[in-house]
Amino acid sequence: MKCSETRAIQTHMITYPHLNLHKTLFGGQLMAWLDETAGLSAVRVSRAAIVTASVDHLDFLAPLKVDHAVCIDAFVSGVGTRSMEIFAKVIGEDLFTGERYLAGTCFMTFVVPKGACLPELIEPETKEEQFICQGYEKRKQIRLAKRQESIDLANNIDLAIPWN
């Protein structure tokens, strides 16, 4: 399957309901839009109900200002047997000047239910896709190590609430 066949794109105008105290896009809102867009990309590959497993890496590179647009462009950058990695870039646009800027990048992992089929390979075509996909195996190994760290942490968390 080609990366381009998994691509999902959403554009939103940044307005007052989505702002933080700095009059820029609230990070949590961007994360919700990223999850939605990346999820669409994941379903295009699996054609099954998917679950967000992790936000592996999210870099906020530039603030997204009020009255700018934000475009989220996501595609599958690697597949395993039951999981897939989605890459998303966040592009800001000043609607009055037309200037575009890279506002963020994100890698997320989604899991498919048992029995769902994923393609054996994702085929990058563009220079950007090739660069991003070539790092999949290394990022996957880092993710697996981080997952084990999270399991170890969870096994040592006290669930008692101190004020009760």
Side-chain angles (χ1 to χ4, degrees):
M1 177 174 260
K2 295 178 181 176
C3 283
S4 59
E5 295 174 278
T6 72
R7 197 161 227 122
I9 299 170
Q10 285 191 15
T11 303
H12 302 272
M13 186 170 174
I14 301 166
T15 58
Y16 286 96
H18 304 125
L19 300 182
N20 59 28
L21 295 175
H22 304 285
K23 293 196 168 104
T24 59
L25 182 64
F26 172 58
Q29 180 63 60
L30 179 60
M31 291 176 76
W33 288 339
L34 280 163
D35 192 38
E36 186 176 281
T37 310
L40 289 168
S41 183
V43 171
R44 286 193 171 135
V45 171
S46 65
R47 297 297 176 197
I50 48 91
V51 175
T52 306
S54 63
V55 177
D56 306 317
H57 200 91
L58 171 56
D59 285 316
F60 295 96
L61 302 173
L64 292 154
K65 300 175 183 174
V66 68
D67 295 332
H68 284 203
V70 58
C71 178
I72 300 167
D73 180 358
F75 61 86
V76 175
S77 51
V79 291
T81 53
R82 288 204 42 226
S83 67
M84 67 192 98
E85 176 191 80
I86 313 299
F87 169 75
K89 61 184 173 184
V90 180
I91 300 167
E93 180 182 358
D94 182 324
L95 293 171
F96 297 109
T97 68
E99 176 192 357
R100 291 185 176 179
Y101 52 95
L102 185 62
T105 58
C106 183
F107 287 95
M108 300 177 78
T109 299
F110 290 82
V111 176
V112 297
K114 288 181 183 175
C117 293
L118 291 175
E120 289 183 27
L121 179 66
I122 293 294
E123 184 182 338
E125 299 171 283
T126 68
K127 185 178 174 183
E128 176 188 61
E129 292 168 350
Q130 290 167 359
F131 180 80
I132 291 163
C133 290
Q134 76 184 359
Y136 169 69
E137 287 299 328
K138 183 177 179 182
R139 289 187 301 270
K140 182 178 178 182
Q141 293 308 312
I142 292 168
R143 255 192 313 279
L144 291 173
K146 287 275 194 199
R147 186 177 188 314
Q148 186 57 53
E149 284 179 25
S150 292
I151 290 169
D152 293 343
L153 175 66
N155 287 332
N156 288 285
I157 297 295
D158 184 353
L159 299 180
I161 299 172
W163 58 84
N164 285 343

